[in-house]
Amino acid sequence: MKNYDQFHDGWLDGLLIDQKSVQVFLSTEERQPFLVVANGVVALAADGFKAGNIVFEVVTRQKEELTLQDITRAYGLAEGATGQDQAQKLLAKALEQNLIVLEINPSYGASCVLLAESVDLLHRRESLDRKFAGAIV
């Protein structure tokens, strides 16, 4: 598990969803802007958005660290035996596909859990530089 401590008491500024790609806009407590780019997203659950979403923690977990709770939350599965059976099957598939979970837990406001093939953290300026590299200005 990797914990991104720099986002404790920072902000979850928003999400941009484009088919199987999700960009998560985060800021540190000092208002340093970052972007988490998740590609090959297979499941996403985000809720509780309010003005001023304060982050408690941001973590990623790799294949061997995925849990049934990760799967249940990301897919929004029902409680009980039916949900448990689905979660077991989806966890096996996630392990087979080598997926990563990104989990953002709030102190206030929004939470987010997603399963993806890759998750990268970039400073927002770096992401703009990549996007417009080679562009004629």
Side-chain angles (χ1 to χ4, degrees):
M1 177 172 72
K2 181 168 183 175
N3 192 330
Y4 297 87
D5 293 331
Q6 69 266 39
F7 296 111
H8 179 73
D9 287 340
W11 289 270
L12 173 52
D13 299 322
L15 300 173
L16 176 62
I17 302 168
D18 183 14
Q19 296 183 20
K20 290 192 175 222
S21 176
V22 175
Q23 296 179 18
V24 182
F25 296 84
L26 294 168
S27 298
T28 65
E29 186 176 13
E30 295 79 25
R31 286 293 190 189
Q32 291 292 314
F34 285 85
L35 183 65
V36 176
V37 179
N39 289 305
V41 175
V42 297
L44 167 68
D47 63 11
F49 279 87
K50 300 179 180 188
N53 301 294
I54 301 172
V55 172
F56 175 71
E57 69 179 349
V58 176
V59 297
T60 56
R61 284 186 289 282
Q62 303 292 322
K63 174 185 174 178
E64 61 279 352
E65 301 167 315
L66 295 180
T67 66
L68 281 175
Q69 183 180 5
D70 293 331
I71 300 300
T72 299
R73 287 185 62 203
Y75 283 96
L77 299 176
E79 302 275 328
T82 302
Q84 188 79 358
D85 288 344
Q86 285 180 303
Q88 289 284 359
K89 290 174 187 171
L90 290 167
L91 177 58
K93 188 174 180 180
L95 295 173
E96 184 179 295
Q97 294 175 337
N98 223 11
L99 298 180
I100 300 166
V101 69
L102 169 71
E103 180 178 4
I104 302 172
N105 293 307
S107 289
Y108 170 81
S111 66
C112 177
V113 178
L114 65 80
L115 277 171
E117 293 171 1
S118 67
V119 175
D120 297 305
L121 176 67
L122 306 170
H123 195 279
R124 280 192 221 168
R125 178 67 195 177
E126 181 184 349
S127 71
L128 287 174
D129 290 346
R130 282 187 185 184
K131 184 173 183 173
F132 295 110
I136 298 172
V137 184

Coordinates of all heavy atoms in Angstrom, one line a residue, residues 13-106:
D13 N -10.7 18.1 -5.7 CA -11.3 19.2 -6.4 C -12.3 18.8 -7.5 O -13.1 19.6 -7.9 CB -10.1 20.0 -7.1 CG -9.2 20.7 -6.1 OD1 -9.7 21.1 -5.0 OD2 -8.0 20.7 -6.4
G14 N -12.2 17.5 -7.9 CA -13.1 17.0 -8.9 C -12.6 15.9 -9.7 O -11.5 15.4 -9.5
L15 N -13.4 15.4 -10.6 CA -13.1 14.2 -11.5 C -13.5 14.6 -12.9 O -14.4 15.3 -13.2 CB -14.0 13.0 -11.1 CG -13.9 12.4 -9.7 CD1 -15.0 11.4 -9.6 CD2 -12.6 11.9 -9.5
L16 N -12.7 14.0 -13.8 CA -13.0 14.1 -15.3 C -13.0 12.7 -15.8 O -12.0 12.0 -15.7 CB -12.0 15.0 -16.0 CG -12.2 15.1 -17.5 CD1 -13.5 15.7 -17.9 CD2 -11.0 15.8 -18.2
I17 N -14.1 12.2 -16.2 CA -14.3 10.9 -16.7 C -14.4 10.9 -18.2 O -15.3 11.6 -18.8 CB -15.5 10.2 -16.1 CG1 -15.4 10.2 -14.6 CG2 -15.7 8.8 -16.6 CD1 -16.7 9.9 -13.8
D18 N -13.5 10.1 -18.9 CA -13.5 10.0 -20.3 C -13.4 8.6 -20.7 O -12.3 8.1 -20.8 CB -12.4 10.9 -20.9 CG -12.4 10.9 -22.4 OD1 -13.4 10.5 -23.1 OD2 -11.3 11.3 -23.0
Q19 N -14.5 7.9 -20.9 CA -14.6 6.5 -21.2 C -13.8 5.7 -20.1 O -14.3 5.6 -19.0 CB -14.1 6.2 -22.6 CG -15.0 6.9 -23.7 CD -14.6 6.6 -25.1 OE1 -13.9 5.6 -25.4 NE2 -15.0 7.4 -26.0
K20 N -12.7 5.1 -20.5 CA -12.0 4.2 -19.5 C -10.8 5.0 -18.8 O -9.9 4.4 -18.2 CB -11.5 3.0 -20.1 CG -12.6 2.0 -20.5 CD -12.1 0.7 -20.9 CE -13.3 -0.2 -21.1 NZ -13.1 -1.5 -20.5
S21 N -10.8 6.3 -18.9 CA -9.8 7.1 -18.3 C -10.5 8.1 -17.3 O -11.5 8.6 -17.6 CB -9.0 7.9 -19.4 OG -8.1 8.8 -18.8
V22 N -9.9 8.2 -16.1 CA -10.4 9.1 -15.1 C -9.3 10.0 -14.6 O -8.2 9.5 -14.3 CB -11.0 8.3 -13.9 CG1 -11.5 9.3 -12.8 CG2 -12.2 7.5 -14.4
Q23 N -9.5 11.3 -14.6 CA -8.6 12.2 -14.0 C -9.2 12.7 -12.7 O -10.3 13.2 -12.7 CB -8.3 13.4 -15.0 CG -7.6 12.9 -16.3 CD -7.4 14.0 -17.2 OE1 -7.4 15.2 -16.8 NE2 -7.1 13.7 -18.5
V24 N -8.4 12.6 -11.6 CA -8.8 13.0 -10.3 C -8.0 14.3 -10.0 O -6.7 14.2 -9.9 CB -8.6 11.9 -9.3 CG1 -9.1 12.4 -7.9 CG2 -9.3 10.6 -9.7
F25 N -8.6 15.4 -9.7 CA -8.0 16.6 -9.4 C -7.9 16.8 -7.9 O -8.9 16.8 -7.2 CB -8.7 17.8 -10.0 CG -8.8 17.8 -11.5 CD1 -9.7 17.0 -12.2 CD2 -7.8 18.5 -12.2 CE1 -9.7 17.0 -13.6 CE2 -7.8 18.4 -13.6 CZ -8.8 17.7 -14.3
L26 N -6.6 16.8 -7.4 CA -6.3 16.9 -6.0 C -5.4 18.1 -5.7 O -4.7 18.5 -6.6 CB -5.6 15.7 -5.5 CG -6.3 14.4 -5.5 CD1 -5.3 13.2 -5.2 CD2 -7.4 14.4 -4.4
S27 N -5.5 18.7 -4.5 CA -4.7 19.8 -4.1 C -4.2 19.4 -2.7 O -4.9 18.9 -1.8 CB -5.4 21.1 -4.0 OG -5.8 21.5 -5.3
T28 N -2.9 19.8 -2.4 CA -2.4 19.6 -1.0 C -3.0 20.7 -0.1 O -3.6 21.7 -0.6 CB -0.8 19.7 -1.0 OG1 -0.5 21.1 -1.4 CG2 -0.2 18.7 -1.9
E29 N -2.7 20.6 1.2 CA -3.1 21.7 2.1 C -2.6 23.0 1.7 O -3.2 24.0 1.9 CB -2.7 21.3 3.5 CG -3.3 22.2 4.6 CD -2.9 21.7 6.0 OE1 -2.0 20.9 6.2 OE2 -3.5 22.3 6.9
E30 N -1.4 23.0 1.1 CA -0.7 24.3 0.7 C -1.2 24.7 -0.7 O -0.7 25.7 -1.3 CB 0.8 24.1 0.6 CG 1.4 23.9 2.0 CD 1.3 22.4 2.5 OE1 1.1 21.5 1.6 OE2 1.3 22.2 3.7
R31 N -2.3 24.0 -1.2 CA -2.9 24.3 -2.5 C -2.0 24.0 -3.7 O -2.1 24.7 -4.8 CB -3.4 25.8 -2.6 CG -4.7 26.0 -1.8 CD -5.8 25.3 -2.4 NE -7.1 25.6 -1.8 CZ -8.2 25.0 -2.1 NH1 -8.2 24.0 -2.9 NH2 -9.3 25.3 -1.5
Q32 N -1.1 23.1 -3.6 CA -0.3 22.6 -4.7 C -1.2 21.7 -5.5 O -1.7 20.7 -5.0 CB 0.9 21.9 -4.2 CG 2.0 22.7 -3.6 CD 2.6 23.7 -4.6 OE1 3.0 23.3 -5.7 NE2 2.7 24.9 -4.2
P33 N -1.4 22.0 -6.8 CA -2.4 21.2 -7.6 C -1.7 20.0 -8.2 O -0.6 20.0 -8.8 CB -2.8 22.2 -8.7 CG -1.6 23.1 -8.9 CD -0.9 23.2 -7.5
F34 N -2.4 18.8 -8.1 CA -2.0 17.5 -8.6 C -3.1 16.9 -9.4 O -4.3 17.3 -9.3 CB -1.5 16.6 -7.5 CG -0.2 16.9 -6.9 CD1 -0.1 17.9 -5.9 CD2 1.0 16.3 -7.4 CE1 1.2 18.2 -5.4 CE2 2.2 16.7 -6.9 CZ 2.3 17.6 -5.9
L35 N -2.7 15.9 -10.2 CA -3.6 15.2 -11.0 C -3.3 13.7 -10.9 O -2.1 13.3 -11.1 CB -3.5 15.6 -12.5 CG -4.5 15.1 -13.5 CD1 -5.9 15.5 -13.2 CD2 -4.1 15.5 -14.9
V36 N -4.3 12.9 -10.6 CA -4.1 11.4 -10.6 C -4.8 11.0 -11.9 O -6.0 11.3 -12.2 CB -4.8 10.7 -9.4 CG1 -4.7 9.2 -9.6 CG2 -4.2 11.2 -8.1
V37 N -4.0 10.3 -12.8 CA -4.5 9.8 -14.1 C -4.6 8.3 -14.0 O -3.6 7.6 -13.7 CB -3.6 10.2 -15.2 CG1 -4.1 9.7 -16.5 CG2 -3.4 11.7 -15.3
A38 N -5.9 7.8 -14.1 CA -6.1 6.4 -14.0 C -6.6 6.0 -15.4 O -7.5 6.5 -16.0 CB -7.2 6.1 -13.0
N39 N -5.9 5.0 -16.0 CA -6.2 4.4 -17.3 C -6.7 3.0 -17.2 O -6.2 2.3 -16.3 CB -5.0 4.5 -18.2 CG -4.7 6.0 -18.6 OD1 -5.6 6.7 -19.1 ND2 -3.5 6.4 -18.3
G40 N -7.5 2.6 -18.1 CA -8.1 1.3 -18.0 C -9.0 1.0 -16.8 O -8.9 0.0 -16.2
V41 N -9.8 2.1 -16.5 CA -10.7 2.0 -15.4 C -11.8 1.0 -15.6 O -12.5 1.1 -16.6 CB -11.2 3.4 -15.0 CG1 -12.2 3.3 -13.9 CG2 -10.1 4.3 -14.7
V42 N -12.0 0.1 -14.7 CA -13.0 -1.0 -14.9 C -14.2 -0.7 -13.9 O -15.2 -1.3 -14.1 CB -12.5 -2.4 -14.7 CG1 -11.5 -2.7 -15.8 CG2 -11.8 -2.6 -13.4
A43 N -13.9 0.0 -12.8 CA -15.0 0.3 -11.8 C -14.6 1.6 -11.1 O -13.5 1.9 -10.9 CB -15.1 -0.8 -10.8
L44 N -15.7 2.4 -10.8 CA -15.5 3.7 -10.1 C -16.7 4.0 -9.3 O -17.9 3.8 -9.8 CB -15.4 4.8 -11.2 CG -15.5 6.2 -10.7 CD1 -14.3 6.6 -9.8 CD2 -15.6 7.2 -11.9
A45 N -16.5 4.4 -8.1 CA -17.6 4.8 -7.2 C -17.1 6.1 -6.5 O -16.0 6.1 -5.9 CB -17.9 3.8 -6.1
A46 N -17.8 7.2 -6.7 CA -17.5 8.5 -6.1 C -18.8 9.1 -5.7 O -19.8 9.1 -6.4 CB -16.8 9.4 -7.1
D47 N -18.8 9.6 -4.4 CA -20.0 10.2 -3.9 C -19.7 11.2 -2.8 O -18.5 11.4 -2.4 CB -21.0 9.2 -3.4 CG -20.5 8.4 -2.2 OD1 -19.4 8.7 -1.7 OD2 -21.1 7.4 -1.9
G48 N -20.7 12.0 -2.4 CA -20.6 12.9 -1.3 C -19.9 14.2 -1.7 O -19.5 14.9 -0.8
F49 N -19.9 14.6 -2.9 CA -19.2 15.8 -3.3 C -20.0 17.0 -2.7 O -21.2 17.1 -2.8 CB -19.2 16.0 -4.8 CG -18.0 15.2 -5.4 CD1 -18.1 13.9 -5.8 CD2 -16.8 15.9 -5.6 CE1 -17.1 13.2 -6.3 CE2 -15.7 15.2 -6.1 CZ -15.9 13.8 -6.5
K50 N -19.2 17.9 -2.1 CA -19.7 19.1 -1.5 C -18.7 20.3 -1.8 O -17.6 20.0 -2.3 CB -19.8 19.0 0.0 CG -20.8 17.9 0.4 CD -20.9 17.7 1.9 CE -21.8 16.6 2.2 NZ -22.1 16.4 3.6
A51 N -19.1 21.5 -1.5 CA -18.1 22.6 -1.6 C -17.0 22.3 -0.5 O -17.3 22.2 0.6 CB -18.8 23.9 -1.4
G52 N -15.8 22.3 -1.0 CA -14.7 22.1 0.0 C -14.5 20.7 0.5 O -14.5 20.4 1.7
N53 N -14.3 19.7 -0.4 CA -14.1 18.3 -0.1 C -12.7 18.1 0.5 O -11.7 18.2 -0.2 CB -14.2 17.5 -1.4 CG -15.5 17.6 -2.0 OD1 -16.5 17.2 -1.4 ND2 -15.5 18.2 -3.2
I54 N -12.6 17.9 1.8 CA -11.3 17.8 2.5 C -10.9 16.3 2.6 O -11.7 15.5 3.0 CB -11.4 18.4 3.9 CG1 -11.8 19.9 3.8 CG2 -10.1 18.2 4.6 CD1 -12.1 20.5 5.1
V55 N -9.7 16.1 2.2 CA -9.2 14.7 2.1 C -8.6 14.3 3.4 O -7.8 15.0 4.1 CB -8.0 14.6 1.0 CG1 -7.4 13.3 1.0 CG2 -8.6 14.9 -0.4
F56 N -8.9 13.0 3.8 CA -8.3 12.4 5.0 C -7.0 11.6 4.5 O -6.0 11.8 5.0 CB -9.2 11.5 5.7 CG -8.6 10.8 6.9 CD1 -8.2 11.4 8.0 CD2 -8.4 9.4 6.8 CE1 -7.6 10.7 9.0 CE2 -7.7 8.7 7.8 CZ -7.3 9.4 8.9
E57 N -7.2 10.8 3.5 CA -6.1 10.0 3.0 C -6.3 9.6 1.5 O -7.5 9.5 1.1 CB -5.9 8.7 3.8 CG -7.0 7.7 3.7 CD -6.7 6.4 4.5 OE1 -5.6 6.2 5.0 OE2 -7.7 5.6 4.5
V58 N -5.2 9.4 0.8 CA -5.2 8.9 -0.5 C -4.2 7.7 -0.5 O -3.1 7.9 -0.1 CB -4.7 10.0 -1.5 CG1 -4.6 9.4 -2.9 CG2 -5.6 11.2 -1.5
V59 N -4.7 6.6 -0.9 CA -3.9 5.4 -1.0 C -4.1 4.6 -2.3 O -5.2 4.7 -2.9 CB -4.1 4.4 0.2 CG1 -3.8 5.1 1.6 CG2 -5.6 3.9 0.2
T60 N -3.1 3.9 -2.7 CA -3.2 2.9 -3.8 C -2.8 1.6 -3.2 O -1.9 1.5 -2.3 CB -2.3 3.3 -5.0 OG1 -1.0 3.4 -4.6 CG2 -2.8 4.6 -5.7
R61 N -3.4 0.5 -3.8 CA -3.0 -0.8 -3.4 C -2.8 -1.6 -4.7 O -3.7 -1.5 -5.6 CB -4.1 -1.5 -2.5 CG -4.0 -1.0 -1.1 CD -5.0 -1.7 -0.2 NE -6.4 -1.4 -0.4 CZ -7.0 -0.3 0.0 NH1 -6.3 0.6 0.7 NH2 -8.2 -0.1 -0.2
Q62 N -1.8 -2.4 -4.7 CA -1.5 -3.2 -5.9 C -2.2 -4.6 -5.8 O -2.8 -4.9 -4.8 CB 0.1 -3.4 -6.0 CG 0.9 -2.2 -6.0 CD 0.7 -1.4 -7.3 OE1 0.6 -2.0 -8.4 NE2 0.6 -0.1 -7.2
K63 N -2.0 -5.4 -6.8 CA -2.6 -6.7 -7.0 C -2.7 -7.5 -5.7 O -3.8 -7.8 -5.3 CB -1.9 -7.5 -8.0 CG -2.3 -8.9 -8.2 CD -1.5 -9.6 -9.2 CE -1.9 -11.1 -9.2 NZ -1.1 -11.9 -10.2
E64 N -1.6 -7.8 -5.0 CA -1.6 -8.6 -3.9 C -2.3 -8.0 -2.6 O -2.5 -8.7 -1.7 CB -0.2 -9.1 -3.5 CG 0.8 -8.0 -3.2 CD 1.4 -7.2 -4.4 OE1 1.2 -7.7 -5.5 OE2 2.0 -6.2 -4.1
E65 N -2.5 -6.7 -2.7 CA -3.1 -6.0 -1.5 C -4.6 -5.8 -1.7 O -5.3 -5.3 -0.8 CB -2.4 -4.7 -1.3 CG -0.9 -4.8 -1.1 CD -0.2 -3.5 -1.2 OE1 -0.5 -2.7 -2.2 OE2 0.6 -3.2 -0.3
L66 N -5.2 -6.1 -2.9 CA -6.6 -5.9 -3.1 C -7.5 -6.7 -2.1 O -7.1 -7.8 -1.8 CB -7.0 -6.2 -4.5 CG -6.4 -5.4 -5.6 CD1 -6.9 -5.9 -7.0 CD2 -6.7 -3.9 -5.5
T67 N -8.6 -6.1 -1.7 CA -9.5 -6.8 -0.8 C -10.9 -6.9 -1.3 O -11.3 -6.2 -2.3 CB -9.6 -6.0 0.6 OG1 -10.2 -4.7 0.3 CG2 -8.2 -5.8 1.2
L68 N -11.7 -7.7 -0.7 CA -13.1 -7.8 -1.1 C -13.8 -6.4 -0.8 O -14.7 -6.1 -1.6 CB -13.8 -8.9 -0.2 CG -13.6 -10.3 -0.7 CD1 -14.3 -11.3 0.3 CD2 -14.1 -10.5 -2.1
Q69 N -13.4 -5.7 0.2 CA -14.0 -4.4 0.5 C -13.7 -3.4 -0.7 O -14.6 -2.7 -1.1 CB -13.5 -3.8 1.8 CG -14.2 -2.5 2.1 CD -13.7 -1.9 3.4 OE1 -12.8 -2.5 4.1 NE2 -14.3 -0.8 3.8
D70 N -12.5 -3.5 -1.2 CA -12.2 -2.6 -2.4 C -13.1 -2.9 -3.5 O -13.6 -2.0 -4.2 CB -10.7 -2.9 -2.9 CG -9.7 -2.5 -1.9 OD1 -9.9 -1.5 -1.1 OD2 -8.6 -3.1 -1.9
I71 N -13.3 -4.2 -3.8 CA -14.2 -4.6 -4.9 C -15.6 -4.2 -4.7 O -16.3 -3.6 -5.5 CB -14.1 -6.1 -5.2 CG1 -12.6 -6.5 -5.5 CG2 -15.0 -6.6 -6.2 CD1 -12.0 -5.9 -6.7
T72 N -16.1 -4.5 -3.5 CA -17.5 -4.1 -3.1 C -17.7 -2.6 -3.2 O -18.7 -2.2 -3.8 CB -17.8 -4.6 -1.7 OG1 -17.6 -6.0 -1.6 CG2 -19.2 -4.2 -1.2
R73 N -16.8 -1.8 -2.8 CA -17.0 -0.4 -2.8 C -16.9 0.1 -4.3 O -17.7 1.0 -4.7 CB -15.9 0.4 -2.0 CG -16.2 0.2 -0.5 CD -15.3 1.0 0.4 NE -15.4 2.4 0.1 CZ -14.4 3.3 0.3 NH1 -13.3 2.9 0.9 NH2 -14.6 4.6 0.1
A74 N -15.9 -0.3 -5.0 CA -15.7 0.2 -6.4 C -16.8 -0.1 -7.3 O -17.2 0.7 -8.2 CB -14.3 -0.4 -7.0
Y75 N -17.4 -1.3 -7.2 CA -18.5 -1.8 -8.0 C -19.9 -1.4 -7.4 O -20.9 -1.6 -8.1 CB -18.4 -3.3 -8.3 CG -17.4 -3.7 -9.3 CD1 -16.1 -4.1 -8.9 CD2 -17.7 -3.6 -10.6 CE1 -15.2 -4.5 -9.8 CE2 -16.7 -4.0 -11.6 CZ -15.5 -4.4 -11.2 OH -14.6 -4.8 -12.1
G76 N -19.9 -1.0 -6.2 CA -21.2 -0.7 -5.5 C -22.0 -1.9 -5.3 O -23.3 -1.8 -5.5
L77 N -21.4 -3.0 -4.9 CA -22.2 -4.2 -4.8 C -23.0 -4.2 -3.5 O -22.7 -3.6 -2.5 CB -21.2 -5.4 -4.7 CG -20.3 -5.6 -5.9 CD1 -19.3 -6.7 -5.7 CD2 -21.1 -5.8 -7.2
A78 N -24.1 -5.0 -3.6 CA -25.0 -5.2 -2.5 C -24.4 -5.9 -1.3 O -23.5 -6.7 -1.5 CB -26.3 -5.9 -3.0
E79 N -24.9 -5.7 -0.2 CA -24.5 -6.4 1.0 C -25.1 -7.8 1.0 O -26.1 -8.1 0.2 CB -25.1 -5.7 2.3 CG -24.6 -4.3 2.5 CD -23.3 -4.2 3.2 OE1 -23.0 -5.0 4.0 OE2 -22.6 -3.2 2.8
G80 N -24.6 -8.7 1.7 CA -25.1 -10.1 1.8 C -24.5 -11.1 0.9 O -23.4 -10.8 0.2
A81 N -25.1 -12.3 0.8 CA -24.5 -13.4 0.1 C -24.3 -13.1 -1.4 O -23.3 -13.5 -2.0 CB -25.3 -14.6 0.3
T82 N -25.3 -12.5 -2.0 CA -25.2 -12.3 -3.5 C -24.0 -11.3 -3.8 O -23.2 -11.6 -4.7 CB -26.5 -11.7 -4.0 OG1 -27.6 -12.6 -3.7 CG2 -26.5 -11.4 -5.5
G83 N -24.0 -10.2 -3.0 CA -22.9 -9.3 -3.2 C -21.5 -9.9 -2.9 O -20.5 -9.6 -3.6
Q84 N -21.5 -10.7 -1.9 CA -20.2 -11.4 -1.5 C -19.7 -12.4 -2.7 O -18.6 -12.4 -3.0 CB -20.4 -12.2 -0.2 CG -19.2 -12.8 0.4 CD -18.4 -11.8 1.1 OE1 -18.7 -10.6 1.2 NE2 -17.3 -12.3 1.7
D85 N -20.7 -13.1 -3.2 CA -20.3 -14.0 -4.4 C -19.8 -13.2 -5.6 O -18.8 -13.6 -6.2 CB -21.5 -14.8 -4.8 CG -21.9 -15.9 -3.8 OD1 -21.1 -16.2 -2.9 OD2 -23.1 -16.4 -3.9
Q86 N -20.5 -12.1 -5.9 CA -20.0 -11.3 -7.0 C -18.6 -10.7 -6.7 O -17.8 -10.7 -7.6 CB -21.0 -10.1 -7.2 CG -22.3 -10.5 -7.9 CD -23.2 -9.3 -8.1 OE1 -23.5 -8.6 -7.1 NE2 -23.5 -9.0 -9.3
A87 N -18.4 -10.2 -5.5 CA -17.2 -9.6 -5.1 C -16.0 -10.7 -5.2 O -14.9 -10.3 -5.7 CB -17.2 -9.1 -3.6
Q88 N -16.3 -11.9 -4.8 CA -15.2 -12.9 -4.9 C -14.8 -13.1 -6.4 O -13.6 -13.2 -6.7 CB -15.8 -14.3 -4.3 CG -15.9 -14.3 -2.9 CD -14.6 -14.5 -2.1 OE1 -13.5 -14.6 -2.7 NE2 -14.6 -14.4 -0.8
K89 N -15.8 -13.2 -7.3 CA -15.5 -13.4 -8.7 C -14.8 -12.2 -9.3 O -13.8 -12.4 -10.0 CB -16.8 -13.7 -9.5 CG -17.5 -15.0 -9.2 CD -18.8 -15.1 -9.8 CE -19.5 -16.4 -9.4 NZ -20.9 -16.5 -9.8
L90 N -15.2 -11.0 -8.9 CA -14.6 -9.8 -9.4 C -13.2 -9.6 -8.9 O -12.3 -9.1 -9.6 CB -15.5 -8.6 -9.2 CG -16.8 -8.5 -10.0 CD1 -17.7 -7.5 -9.4 CD2 -16.5 -8.3 -11.5
L91 N -13.0 -10.0 -7.6 CA -11.7 -9.9 -7.0 C -10.7 -10.9 -7.8 O -9.6 -10.5 -8.1 CB -11.7 -10.3 -5.5 CG -10.3 -10.3 -4.8 CD1 -9.6 -9.0 -4.9 CD2 -10.5 -10.7 -3.4
A92 N -11.1 -12.1 -8.1 CA -10.3 -13.0 -8.8 C -9.9 -12.5 -10.2 O -8.8 -12.5 -10.6 CB -11.0 -14.4 -9.0
K93 N -10.9 -11.8 -10.8 CA -10.7 -11.2 -12.1 C -9.7 -10.0 -12.0 O -8.8 -9.9 -12.8 CB -12.0 -10.7 -12.8 CG -11.9 -10.3 -14.2 CD -13.3 -10.0 -14.7 CE -13.2 -9.5 -16.2 NZ -14.5 -9.2 -16.8
A94 N -9.9 -9.2 -11.0 CA -9.0 -8.1 -10.8 C -7.5 -8.5 -10.5 O -6.6 -7.9 -11.0 CB -9.5 -7.2 -9.6
L95 N -7.4 -9.6 -9.7 CA -6.0 -10.2 -9.5 C -5.4 -10.7 -10.8 O -4.2 -10.5 -11.0 CB -6.1 -11.3 -8.4 CG -6.5 -10.8 -7.0 CD1 -6.8 -12.0 -6.1 CD2 -5.6 -9.9 -6.4
E96 N -6.2 -11.3 -11.6 CA -5.8 -11.9 -12.9 C -5.3 -10.7 -13.8 O -4.3 -10.9 -14.5 CB -6.9 -12.7 -13.5 CG -6.6 -13.4 -14.8 CD -7.8 -14.1 -15.3 OE1 -8.2 -15.1 -14.6 OE2 -8.3 -13.7 -16.3
Q97 N -6.0 -9.6 -13.8 CA -5.7 -8.5 -14.6 C -4.7 -7.5 -14.0 O -4.4 -6.5 -14.6 CB -7.0 -7.7 -14.9 CG -8.0 -8.5 -15.8 CD -9.3 -7.8 -16.0 OE1 -9.7 -6.9 -15.2 NE2 -10.0 -8.1 -17.0
N98 N -4.2 -7.8 -12.8 CA -3.2 -7.0 -12.2 C -3.7 -5.6 -12.0 O -2.9 -4.6 -12.2 CB -1.9 -7.0 -13.1 CG -0.7 -7.2 -12.2 OD1 -0.7 -7.5 -11.0 ND2 0.4 -7.0 -12.9
L99 N -4.9 -5.4 -11.5 CA -5.5 -4.1 -11.3 C -4.9 -3.4 -10.0 O -4.5 -4.1 -9.1 CB -7.0 -4.1 -11.3 CG -7.6 -4.7 -12.6 CD1 -9.2 -4.7 -12.4 CD2 -7.2 -3.8 -13.8
I100 N -5.1 -2.1 -10.0 CA -4.7 -1.3 -8.9 C -5.9 -0.6 -8.4 O -6.8 -0.2 -9.2 CB -3.7 -0.2 -9.4 CG1 -2.4 -0.8 -10.0 CG2 -3.3 0.8 -8.3 CD1 -1.6 0.1 -10.7
V101 N -6.0 -0.4 -7.1 CA -7.1 0.4 -6.5 C -6.6 1.7 -6.0 O -5.5 1.8 -5.5 CB -7.8 -0.4 -5.3 CG1 -6.9 -0.5 -4.1 CG2 -9.1 0.3 -4.9
L102 N -7.3 2.8 -6.3 CA -7.1 4.1 -5.8 C -8.2 4.4 -4.9 O -9.4 4.3 -5.3 CB -7.1 5.2 -6.9 CG -7.1 6.6 -6.4 CD1 -5.7 7.0 -5.8 CD2 -7.4 7.6 -7.6
E103 N -7.9 4.8 -3.6 CA -9.0 5.0 -2.6 C -8.7 6.4 -2.0 O -7.6 6.7 -1.6 CB -8.9 4.0 -1.5 CG -9.9 4.2 -0.5 CD -9.9 3.0 0.6 OE1 -9.0 2.2 0.5 OE2 -10.7 3.1 1.5
I104 N -9.7 7.3 -2.1 CA -9.6 8.6 -1.5 C -10.7 8.7 -0.4 O -11.9 8.6 -0.7 CB -9.8 9.7 -2.5 CG1 -8.8 9.6 -3.6 CG2 -9.8 11.1 -1.8 CD1 -9.0 10.5 -4.8
N105 N -10.3 8.8 0.8 CA -11.2 8.9 2.0 C -11.3 10.3 2.5 O -10.3 11.0 2.6 CB -10.8 7.9 3.1 CG -10.9 6.5 2.6 OD1 -12.0 6.1 2.2 ND2 -9.8 5.7 2.7
P106 N -12.5 10.8 2.8 CA -12.7 12.2 3.2 C -12.6 12.4 4.7 O -12.9 11.5 5.5 CB -14.1 12.5 2.7 CG -14.8 11.2 2.9 CD -13.8 10.1 2.6

